[in-house]
Amino acid sequence: MKSWIETETKNDDVVLSSRIRLARNLKNAPFPNKLNEDEGKDIVKTVEEAFYSSPYTEEKFKTIYLWQNDEVTNQAYFERHLISKKLISNGKESAFILDNDETISIMVNEEDHLRLQTITGGLNLKEAFDYINKLDDLLEEKLDYAFDEKLGYLTSCPTNLGTGLRASVMVHLPALTVNNEIVGLLNALTQVGMTIRGLYGEGSKGEGNLYQISNQITLGLNEEEILTNLTGVINQIINRENLARGRMISKSRYEIEDKIYRSIGILKSAVMLRSKETLNLLSNVRLGVEMGIIKDIDKNTLNKLLVDIQPATLQKVSGDMLFDKQKNLNRAVLVKERLKNIQL
Amino acid sequence: MKSWIETETKNDDVVLSSRIRLARNLKNAPFPNKLNEDEGKDIVKTVEEAFYSSPYTEEKFKTIYLWQNDEVTNQAYFERHLISKKLISNGKESAFILDNDETISIMVNEEDHLRLQTITGGLNLKEAFDYINKLDDLLEEKLDYAFDEKLGYLTSCPTNLGTGLRASVMVHLPALTVNNEIVGLLNALTQVGMTIRGLYGEGSKGEGNLYQISNQITLGLNEEEILTNLTGVINQIINRENLARGRMISKSRYEIEDKIYRSIGILKSAVMLRSKETLNLLSNVRLGVEMGIIKDIDKNTLNKLLVDIQPATLQKVSGDMLFDKQKNLNRAVLVKERLKNIQL
């Protein structure tokens, strides 16, 4: 599978990426929040022994131990959606197994012993699930998972019980945001057991008009039902977003073009760019690409920027310890360089 | 004399233009507000006969009769600072005599029978006064001015009594505006008999950080004293503005460069530009030129834009009746074209 950043999606596609995550625990060990450092590292070792038992995994994957990294390095993995905040806060005994393409990440000692996740481009939940499911099978052959005949997979938090499956799709919803339909959508999704979050999950706002929509219910439905339901919901949302865009463009074409081109103008001229502002300006450029107004940039460049403008990633690239102001200066230089092919 | 628009001023000069206006009335006629249309037109004829009595004036000047123009044409003259709103509202019997370079305008039947004005580039009050004074002498030879030995020139409104002289200087004060010193300046100027107004005189705000500073007192001082006082005040203001700029740049250099470059980015990219926003963005570009940050545009281009982006001027150029939205679109096209040589 290709990384979501590199995936060539259709221009009119409002979906950026699909993510599947499975929560699993080992039968004979306390949940991570009850482990001391040594016990946690033993879990990491156990998982590694099971995982690297095939020549395929040995060649394609590597383990990254959070306790060996500085804070910025771990934060940069978070910004690439490869690990969670929780994994970082358990950094003294947590690790993750990563594939070379950075589409798979198996977190060890997050909230559960194992969090297997994959992110891929576009609306691709089934393919993503099939892939992560194979790795889950491989691990299950070697490891003794905590599993109950009635409840399914046992997890640290009851909201993950059962399938342990969370599927989520990242969508770009500028039109539903600007006309405020997003609020009603949030309520409607909650009622059908789905939830909507920002670019960086729980607690993050819909910065850059990017939203992650995911299933809340993991119990009482099988995996296929969960994925089918979510795919159905996403297709409805895509439809509503496209309708809202259509209304927007027929009502105020010049205003939208103005917003898009001004955003490009600012991104190409600013001396300093704050992270949140940049996300919002890039959303306008993305809208321009998705609507066929802007043709001289592709969405991969925009996807890559979403990650590369993040604070820790900027810091990693620079090497020096950067203060906020210097980050804003570096961010502006980076954005200008990446957008240099867009004509005003 | 050269038009203020065309004058090459030094880059670090915060003064755009100097304006001198003399108010005069004919002895044996009621003030314009008491005249009917025919009587008003008779005054115009009388003034013309006196004015065009020399081969010099006949060759260099022409009369424009407001009653022969449509509203947009008159409004466009106003936008070029050649006539006043009052002259337009008296349009059924008012006219003005204009030189080929558009630096001199002699309004007939404004608030007074005669308003002789000249605008030139930079801080040049004495030169401007000398020039308009000669034309005043020429007229005074032929016309019987209303003049009182004690009071001086008699005018319709007592605030112009005496010399009938109003001198004003247009200055660009972005730093004093942003740090709010402009408020204190307004009070201080009032106390020394000066006043501060916006780009289009009374009632207009300091749009684009442009202000006209002028004498309020016309009585009890002779012409030279008025001009010397105003020049002194302007030099102080220039000094304060430059000090404020110096503090601004040493405290927040990147922020200022950011504001300047973003303004250029927006001006070069916007699909629609409103008049007031454009003035403010152009002020930032002007600041960039004045501070030596922006080198690939000259101030004449910026001066010319100040006038050419105005609504009636845009309308005149287009020929068609333009709605506001179309004006905003045309304004953006015009600005983009004029700023095409500025690199981001």
Side-chain angles (χ1 to χ4, degrees):
Chain A
M1 273 190 320
K2 269 185 126 175
S3 153
W4 67 276
I5 293 174
E6 305 288 343
T7 308
E8 290 281 346
T9 51
K10 278 176 297 173
N11 272 352
D12 59 356
D13 204 342
V14 311
V15 176
L16 278 82
S17 62
S18 299
R19 175 172 165 271
I20 296 284
R21 180 270 278 160
L22 298 176
R24 300 289 184 259
N25 285 283
L26 304 188
K27 201 171 194 168
N28 297 315
F31 287 130
N33 62 344
K34 302 284 182 195
L35 297 173
N36 67 29
E37 242 177 87
D38 287 342
E39 291 166 335
K41 287 180 177 172
D42 283 344
I43 301 276
V44 172
K45 203 181 291 171
T46 308
V47 171
E48 285 187 283
E49 279 166 11
F51 187 76
Y52 292 116
S53 59
S54 113
Y56 172 78
T57 51
E58 217 173 3
E59 190 195 321
K60 298 272 187 196
F61 291 82
K62 66 182 170 195
T63 305
I64 293 155
Y65 309 96
L66 266 64
W67 61 82
Q68 292 180 352
N69 290 338
D70 56 32
E71 214 176 299
V72 173
T73 303
N74 289 335
Q75 188 62 27
Y77 283 120
F78 167 75
E79 290 173 353
R80 271 135 82 198
H81 301 276
L82 294 171
I83 63 176
S84 65
K85 285 219 161 127
K86 179 71 179 163
L87 195 80
I88 294 177
S89 73
N90 291 354
K92 284 187 178 160
E93 63 273 356
S94 67
F96 66 107
I97 296 171
L98 183 67
D99 71 324
N100 298 334
D101 302 327
E102 299 200 343
T103 62
I104 307 276
S105 158
I106 300 170
M107 291 183 267
V108 187
N109 294 332
E110 210 252 20
E111 190 180 287
D112 298 295
H113 293 137
L114 286 166
R115 288 279 177 107
L116 297 84
Q117 74 152 17
T118 181
I119 309 179
T120 186
L123 183 52
N124 248 327
L125 289 169
K126 295 232 160 115
E127 190 196 358
F129 176 75
D130 289 344
Y131 194 67
I132 205 75
N133 197 32
K134 274 178 201 142
L135 292 175
D136 185 42
D137 289 348
L138 183 145
L139 282 166
E140 201 161 11
E141 270 177 35
K142 308 276 177 183
L143 297 171
D144 222 0
Y145 278 169
F147 185 83
D148 177 275
E149 281 302 327
K150 277 206 175 144
L151 291 173
Y153 293 102
L154 300 177
T155 54
S156 167
C157 174
T159 57
N160 291 310
L161 265 182
T163 55
L165 168 66
R166 174 139 305 149
S168 71
V169 177
M170 179 95 74
V171 280
H172 182 226
L173 306 178
L176 294 180
T177 304
V178 86
N179 75 8
N180 232 11
E181 274 190 62
I182 207 82
V183 180
L185 196 64
L186 175 62
N187 293 331
L189 285 173
T190 311
Q191 283 172 21
V192 296
M194 310 278 171
T195 188
I196 186 164
R197 280 176 279 203
L199 178 58
Y200 283 104
E202 257 163 301
S204 77
K205 297 275 177 60
E207 281 166 18
N209 302 316
L210 294 170
Y211 300 91
Q212 292 186 55
I213 292 159
S214 58
N215 66 309
Q216 271 296 72
I217 293 167
T218 55
L219 190 66
L221 293 171
N222 66 29
E223 285 85 351
E224 206 187 310
E225 287 166 333
I226 290 171
L227 301 184
T228 306
N229 288 352
L230 182 58
T231 303
V233 163
I234 295 294
N235 279 326
Q236 279 182 46
I237 290 172
I238 293 172
N239 197 29
R240 282 176 67 173
E241 170 68 18
N242 283 331
L243 285 172
R245 289 185 187 185
R247 283 195 303 271
M248 214 165 70
I249 204 87
S250 70
K251 218 179 94 187
S252 35
R253 158 148 228 122
Y254 289 125
E255 284 79 359
I256 290 164
E257 289 187 357
D258 188 52
K259 190 164 85 169
I260 292 168
Y261 279 105
R262 279 173 184 246
S263 299
I264 296 172
I266 294 169
L267 289 167
K268 284 174 77 84
S269 63
V271 172
M272 299 197 290
L273 282 170
R274 282 168 296 110
S275 167
K276 191 175 165 180
E277 182 194 16
T278 312
L279 286 175
N280 289 327
L281 293 169
L282 285 174
S283 166
N284 295 337
V285 182
R286 182 179 290 272
L287 180 66
V289 174
E290 285 167 354
M291 295 184 100
I293 295 168
I294 303 300
K295 299 190 193 293
D296 34 18
I297 190 162
D298 56 39
K299 289 217 285 185
N300 293 354
T301 305
L302 296 176
N303 291 346
K304 211 164 148 39
L305 269 175
L306 283 185
V307 168
D308 291 349
I309 62 164
Q310 296 295 331
T313 305
L314 281 174
Q315 174 99 51
K316 281 295 283 180
V317 169
S318 141
D320 299 322
M321 171 65 200
L322 301 180
F323 291 100
D324 278 356
K325 188 164 173 172
Q326 189 61 48
K327 278 183 198 157
N328 294 342
L329 291 164
N330 288 13
R331 188 178 288 116
V333 171
L334 173 83
V335 167
K336 213 172 288 184
E337 167 61 25
R338 297 281 174 86
L339 299 191
K340 65 172 187 280
N341 290 334
I342 308 189
Q343 302 299 312
L344 285 181
Chain B
M1 275 191 318
K2 268 183 126 174
S3 152
W4 67 276
I5 294 175
E6 305 289 342
T7 308
E8 289 281 345
T9 51
K10 280 176 297 175
N11 272 351
D12 58 357
D13 204 343
V14 311
V15 176
L16 277 83
S17 62
S18 298
R19 175 172 165 271
I20 296 286
R21 180 269 280 160
L22 298 177
R24 299 291 185 257
N25 286 282
L26 304 187
K27 200 171 193 168
N28 297 316
F31 287 130
N33 63 345
K34 302 282 181 200
L35 297 174
N36 67 29
E37 242 176 85
D38 287 341
E39 292 166 334
K41 287 180 178 172
D42 283 344
I43 302 277
V44 172
K45 206 180 290 171
T46 308
V47 171
E48 283 187 285
E49 279 165 11
F51 188 77
Y52 293 115
S53 58
S54 113
Y56 173 77
T57 51
E58 216 173 4
E59 190 195 321
K60 297 270 188 196
F61 291 81
K62 65 183 170 194
T63 306
I64 292 154
Y65 309 96
L66 266 64
W67 62 83
Q68 291 180 352
N69 289 338
D70 57 32
E71 213 177 300
V72 173
T73 303
N74 289 334
Q75 187 62 27
Y77 283 120
F78 167 74
E79 290 173 354
R80 271 134 81 198
H81 301 277
L82 294 170
I83 63 176
S84 65
K85 283 220 161 129
K86 179 72 181 161
L87 196 79
I88 294 177
S89 73
N90 290 354
K92 284 189 178 155
E93 62 273 357
S94 67
F96 65 107
I97 296 171
L98 183 67
D99 71 324
N100 298 334
D101 301 328
E102 300 200 346
T103 62
I104 306 276
S105 158
I106 299 169
M107 291 183 268
V108 188
N109 293 331
E110 210 251 21
E111 192 180 283
D112 297 296
H113 293 138
L114 286 166
R115 288 279 177 106
L116 296 83
Q117 74 153 15
T118 180
I119 309 179
T120 186
L123 183 53
N124 248 328
L125 288 170
K126 296 229 161 118
E127 190 196 356
F129 176 76
D130 289 344
Y131 194 66
I132 206 75
N133 197 32
K134 275 180 200 140
L135 292 175
D136 185 42
D137 289 347
L138 184 146
L139 282 167
E140 202 161 12
E141 271 177 35
K142 308 276 175 184
L143 296 171
D144 221 0
Y145 279 168
F147 185 82
D148 177 275
E149 282 301 327
K150 277 205 177 143
L151 291 172
Y153 292 102
L154 300 177
T155 53
S156 167
C157 174
T159 57
N160 292 311
L161 265 181
T163 56
L165 168 66
R166 173 139 306 149
S168 71
V169 177
M170 178 95 74
V171 281
H172 183 226
L173 306 177
L176 294 179
T177 304
V178 85
N179 76 8
N180 231 11
E181 274 190 63
I182 206 82
V183 179
L185 196 63
L186 175 62
N187 293 330
L189 285 172
T190 311
Q191 283 172 22
V192 295
M194 310 276 170
T195 187
I196 186 164
R197 281 177 276 204
L199 177 58
Y200 283 104
E202 256 163 303
S204 78
K205 297 274 178 60
E207 282 166 16
N209 303 314
L210 294 171
Y211 300 90
Q212 292 186 56
I213 292 160
S214 58
N215 67 308
Q216 271 295 75
I217 293 167
T218 55
L219 191 65
L221 294 170
N222 67 28
E223 287 83 351
E224 207 187 311
E225 287 166 333
I226 291 172
L227 301 184
T228 305
N229 287 352
L230 182 58
T231 304
V233 163
I234 296 294
N235 280 326
Q236 278 182 47
I237 291 173
I238 293 172
N239 197 29
R240 281 175 68 173
E241 170 68 19
N242 283 332
L243 285 172
R245 289 184 187 186
R247 283 195 301 273
M248 213 166 68
I249 203 87
S250 70
K251 217 180 95 188
S252 35
R253 160 149 224 120
Y254 289 126
E255 285 78 359
I256 290 164
E257 289 187 357
D258 188 52
K259 191 164 84 168
I260 292 168
Y261 278 105
R262 278 173 185 246
S263 299
I264 296 173
I266 293 170
L267 289 167
K268 284 174 76 84
S269 64
V271 172
M272 299 196 289
L273 281 170
R274 281 168 298 110
S275 167
K276 190 174 164 181
E277 181 194 17
T278 312
L279 286 175
N280 289 326
L281 293 168
L282 285 174
S283 166
N284 295 336
V285 182
R286 183 179 289 271
L287 180 66
V289 174
E290 285 166 354
M291 295 185 99
I293 295 168
I294 303 299
K295 299 190 193 292
D296 35 18
I297 191 160
D298 55 40
K299 290 217 283 185
N300 294 355
T301 306
L302 296 177
N303 291 345
K304 213 167 146 41
L305 269 174
L306 282 184
V307 168
D308 291 348
I309 62 165
Q310 296 296 330
T313 304
L314 280 173
Q315 175 101 50
K316 280 295 282 180
V317 169
S318 141
D320 297 323
M321 171 63 201
L322 301 180
F323 290 99
D324 277 357
K325 187 165 173 171
Q326 188 62 48
K327 279 182 196 155
N328 294 342
L329 290 164
N330 288 15
R331 186 178 290 115
V333 170
L334 173 82
V335 168
K336 213 172 289 183
E337 168 61 25
R338 297 280 175 86
L339 299 191
K340 66 171 186 283
N341 290 334
I342 308 189
Q343 302 299 312
L344 286 181

